[in-house]
Amino acid sequence: AGGPSASLPDSFPRFRMPPCWLDLIECEIAARAAKHVLSSYFEEAGGALGAVNPARIVANFLSALVSTAEEGAADTERRLGDQENSGDDGDLVDMLADLWGNANGDNDPSSSRSHADVWSDIANEAGRRYCYTLSFYGPNEEGKPHERAMYGPLLRRVCQRSGIRLVANKYVFGEKCLVGSASGAPSYPIAQSDILDILPLVKNAASLGPETFVPASSTNNTGSSSLHLLLPDTNQVFDLARSKLHAKEYDHAIICANEAANLFQRVTDTPLHPKIISCMKILAVAHAQRHEVDVAAEYAAKYLTFTVQYHGFDSSEAVDAHTTLSDILQSGQGRYERGSKHCRASQFINEFLGGRNNSGLGLGYFQLGTQYIQLGRLEDALACLKVSSDRWHGDFMIDCLVDRQTAHVYSELKQCKEAFELEKNAHKVYSMYLGENHETTKSCKNSLLMFMKLAVQQGKEKLNGDKHRIKESRAAAIADQITADEDAAELSRENGAGTTDNSTKTQKRKKRQSKKKKK
C-alpha cells in the first residue's frame, strides 16, 4: 500500500507504563481472586463450617491476606509477652472466641490451613481466571513485604467485594501473621472479634455507584440504595443544574440544584443518595464562584459529610470532597490553615487507595508544599517537596518545577549550596528540552547565578567564621595555660611561706580569673 519506497522501522518506540497502573491492576486481580477463594472456603463441607463460625474463617483468611509469612512459636510467645507487659488485655476476648471456635474439633480446615496454603489458593485462582502470575504478593522467604505491595487497598477491596465490615483499629500490614492456630491463640493481625459484620451482596444493574454489588442490610438507618430514581422531572432539573453550572450561570444553577435536592430527598427520605450528594457539590461550587465563601464552605462541608457517610472515608469520592472543601477554604481569608488540613487528608486517602506510585501523588505533595510555604511553615514545606521529588511524575516540566520550588525553600532557610545544586539540575533539563533561548531557561539561569553568588558569599562567611573561632579557641587555650602556670607558681610560694591568709589567696585567685575573662 505504501509503494516500493515505503519501509517500516525495525522496531517501534515503546513507552514505559506508569508504575501505578501495574500496582492497581495486580491489587485488583488479587482482590477478585481472593473473593472467590474465600467463597470456596465457606462452601467446604457443604457450607456447614461457614454457618457455624464464619468469623473464624474470615479472620484467618484476612490475616494471611495482609501478611508476608507465618510466625513461629517463639514469635507468637514474644508478641503475646509484649502485649501482656504493655497492659493490653484486648486479646482475652479473642482467645475465648477462638477457643469456642475450636469446639468444632479437628474437622475445621481453617485450623490447619497455613499462610502459604491461602496464598497458593489465591495464586492458582488468579492464574485460572486471569492467566496472570502474582509478583508483589504471597509468601516471602525474607519475611519482608514487596516495596510495591499495597496491603491496605487489597484488604479494602476484598472486604468491599465480600460484604465484610471490620472494626476500626490499627492493623499491622506486611509482617508475620498467625492463622489456623489449634492452641487457642487468636489470629493475628486480624482477630475474630475484629469482624463486625458479614453482609450479603445484592446486585443492582441500575446502580449509580462504581460497584454493581451493594451490601444489603436489615436496618433502616443506612440510607437508600444507589438506584436510579425514575422521576423524569427531577432528573431534568438535576441535569439543568449541571448544565447551568458549566455555562457559568451560577444563579440558575443554585436554584435548580436546591430544587433537585429537595425533590430527591422527598422520595428517598434521606440525604444519602448519590444525586443529592452531587447537588451539594454543585451548590458549593456555584456559591464559591459568586465569592460567597461562607455559604460555599457550608455546602462543601455537607458534601464531605454525606460523601463519607455514603461512600466511606476511604473512597475516591471522599478525596474529591476534601479537595473541594480545601479549595473553598483557601479562597477565603483566615481559613488557609483549615484548607491545608483537608488538602493533607485528601493526599493521605489518595496514597492509601492508589499506593505510593500513584501518578498524582507527586503533584499533590508539590501543591501541599506550596501551601505550607504560603503559611510560613518552611520545614513542613521542605519535607513535602522532598517527598514529591522522590515520586514518579512522568513529566520533566513538573520535575523541574519541584526542584526550583525546593531550591527556593532552601534559599529561605539559608542553605544556598543545596539551592544552587537543585537549580543547576533544573537548568540542565530546561536547556536540553527547551533550549538556551527559551524564557523559562533564561529565568532559571538568572536564579542559578543568584544562588551561586549567595552560596559563594555564604561559604566565605562560614570560612571567616571558622577562622575566627579557631583564633578564639587558641587564645582561650593560651590564657588557660598562663592561668594554670600562675596558679602553680602561687601555690608553690604559699607552701614555702606558709603564712599567707586563706582569704587573701581566694581574692588573688578571683582577680586572676576576672583578668582571664576580660582577655
Side-chain angles (χ1 to χ4, degrees):
S5 61
S7 61
L8 294 176
D10 296 335
S11 61
F12 292 96
R14 296 187 62 183
F15 296 96
R16 186 168 66 94
M17 183 177 66
C20 63
W21 290 7
L22 181 58
D23 297 349
L24 294 174
I25 290 172
E26 179 156 335
C27 180
E28 186 65 21
I29 290 176
R32 296 192 179 206
K35 173 194 173 184
H36 294 286
V37 172
L38 181 59
S39 299
S40 66
Y41 291 169
F42 278 112
E43 295 172 359
E44 291 177 339
L49 297 177
V52 173
N53 193 8
R56 177 179 175 82
I57 298 176
V58 173
N60 288 335
F61 180 80
L62 295 182
S63 296
L65 189 71
V66 298
S67 306
T68 58
E70 192 164 1
E71 62 184 19
D75 298 328
T76 304
E77 184 177 359
R78 188 183 306 109
R79 176 174 56 83
L80 294 178
D82 294 340
Q83 292 179 356
E84 183 179 357
N85 294 333
S86 63
D88 185 9
D89 297 332
D91 282 345
L92 180 59
V93 178
D94 304 331
M95 185 80 72
L96 295 176
D98 278 2
L99 287 174
W100 176 84
N102 285 335
N104 297 324
D106 297 333
N107 295 326
D108 186 359
S110 63
S111 62
S112 59
R113 189 177 290 116
S114 64
H115 172 271
D117 296 334
V118 172
W119 272 108
S120 177
D121 295 340
I122 295 175
N124 293 334
E125 188 69 18
R128 185 179 70 85
R129 286 183 174 270
Y130 308 107
C131 299
Y132 184 82
T133 302
L134 299 176
S135 57
F136 301 156
Y137 303 93
N140 192 334
E141 295 180 357
E142 299 179 355
K144 297 180 180 180
H146 195 280
E147 60 180 4
R148 297 176 64 177
M150 302 187 301
Y151 291 105
L154 177 62
L155 176 64
R156 175 182 178 274
R157 289 296 292 156
V158 171
C159 294
Q160 187 179 36
R161 298 187 67 85
S162 303
I164 300 172
R165 292 184 176 178
L166 297 179
V167 176
N169 201 349
K170 185 178 181 180
Y171 300 105
V172 179
F173 296 153
E175 296 186 3
K176 293 183 178 181
C177 67
L178 177 63
V179 295
S181 175
S183 62
S187 58
Y188 176 82
I190 299 177
Q192 184 174 340
S193 60
D194 293 328
I195 310 300
L196 182 63
D197 204 352
I198 304 175
L199 302 175
L201 299 180
V202 179
K203 185 172 184 179
N204 295 313
S207 176
L208 287 174
E211 295 288 339
T212 56
F213 284 94
V214 180
S217 177
S218 59
T219 59
N220 296 324
N221 57 354
T222 58
S224 61
S225 61
S226 58
L227 296 179
H228 286 285
L229 298 180
L230 301 179
L231 299 174
D233 296 339
T234 307
N235 292 326
Q236 185 177 1
V237 175
F238 176 74
D239 294 336
L240 184 61
R242 291 195 300 182
S243 63
K244 293 296 183 182
L245 181 65
H246 293 311
K248 299 182 179 180
E249 299 179 10
Y250 303 119
D251 295 337
H252 294 86
I254 292 173
I255 296 173
C256 295
N258 277 318
E259 183 66 21
N262 292 331
L263 292 175
F264 281 128
Q265 192 163 355
R266 286 182 184 179
V267 177
T268 59
D269 289 332
T270 176
L272 301 182
H273 189 271
K275 292 248 177 123
I276 299 178
I277 297 174
S278 299
C279 290
M280 296 297 105
K281 181 180 180 180
I282 293 174
L283 290 170
V285 174
H287 282 289
Q289 293 296 330
R290 294 179 59 186
H291 304 288
E292 300 173 353
V293 181
D294 294 335
V295 182
E298 182 180 353
Y299 280 112
K302 290 182 180 180
Y303 172 45
L304 175 61
T305 303
F306 297 159
T307 300
V308 171
Q309 290 181 358
Y310 186 82
H311 296 285
F313 76 94
D314 55 345
S315 60
S316 58
E317 291 81 5
V319 174
D320 182 64
H322 278 291
T323 304
T324 302
L325 182 56
S326 174
D327 294 340
I328 292 174
L329 291 175
Q330 291 175 6
S331 63
Q333 296 180 354
R335 299 184 177 91
Y336 212 88
E337 185 72 24
R338 292 173 55 194
S340 63
K341 291 181 180 179
H342 285 282
C343 183
R344 183 70 185 90
S346 65
Q347 188 72 7
F348 170 78
I349 300 172
N350 197 12
E351 186 170 2
F352 176 77
L353 295 177
R356 68 181 308 275
N357 291 322
N358 195 337
S359 58
L361 286 179
L363 186 59
Y365 276 109
F366 170 75
Q367 294 174 350
L368 187 61
T370 304
Q371 293 177 11
Y372 283 143
I373 292 175
Q374 296 177 0
L375 290 172
R377 299 166 57 178
L378 297 180
E379 296 292 342
D380 295 334
L382 183 60
C384 292
L385 292 173
K386 284 183 178 180
V387 175
S388 178
S389 63
D390 294 336
R391 300 302 170 89
W392 184 84
H393 297 101
D395 189 352
F396 74 93
M397 292 293 291
I398 299 179
D399 293 333
C400 294
L401 195 62
V402 173
D403 288 341
R404 298 195 66 187
Q405 191 74 291
T406 310
H408 171 71
V409 176
Y410 271 124
S411 66
E412 293 291 333
L413 295 174
K414 307 301 180 183
Q415 301 178 20
C416 299
K417 184 178 179 181
E418 290 80 0
F420 170 74
E421 294 296 335
L422 290 173
E423 198 74 20
K424 182 180 177 181
N425 295 335
H427 181 264
K428 182 179 179 180
V429 176
Y430 281 145
S431 301
M432 183 185 302
Y433 287 97
L434 302 179
E436 294 288 346
N437 296 326
H438 197 274
E439 293 297 330
T440 305
T441 309
K442 293 180 181 179
S443 175
C444 184
K445 186 176 181 180
N446 295 332
S447 300
L448 180 63
L449 295 175
M450 181 185 68
F451 290 144
M452 182 176 63
K453 293 179 181 178
L454 293 175
V456 172
Q457 182 180 358
Q458 191 177 33
K460 291 181 179 179
E461 293 177 355
K462 182 179 179 181
L463 183 60
N464 294 332
D466 292 339
K467 291 181 179 180
H468 185 67
R469 282 192 294 272
I470 292 174
K471 291 181 180 179
E472 289 182 349
S473 62
R474 289 178 179 176
I478 294 173
D480 292 338
Q481 184 65 34
I482 293 174
T483 304
D485 295 341
E486 292 177 354
D487 290 340
E490 183 68 21
L491 184 62
S492 62
R493 288 195 299 269
E494 291 173 358
N495 292 333
T499 57
T500 307
D501 187 53
N502 291 331
S503 60
T504 307
K505 297 177 184 178
T506 304
Q507 292 177 359
K508 290 182 179 180
R509 190 175 292 109
K510 288 183 179 180
K511 288 182 180 180
R512 286 196 299 268
Q513 292 178 354
S514 63
K515 290 180 180 179
K516 174 186 173 183
K517 292 181 181 180
K518 291 181 180 180
K519 291 181 180 179

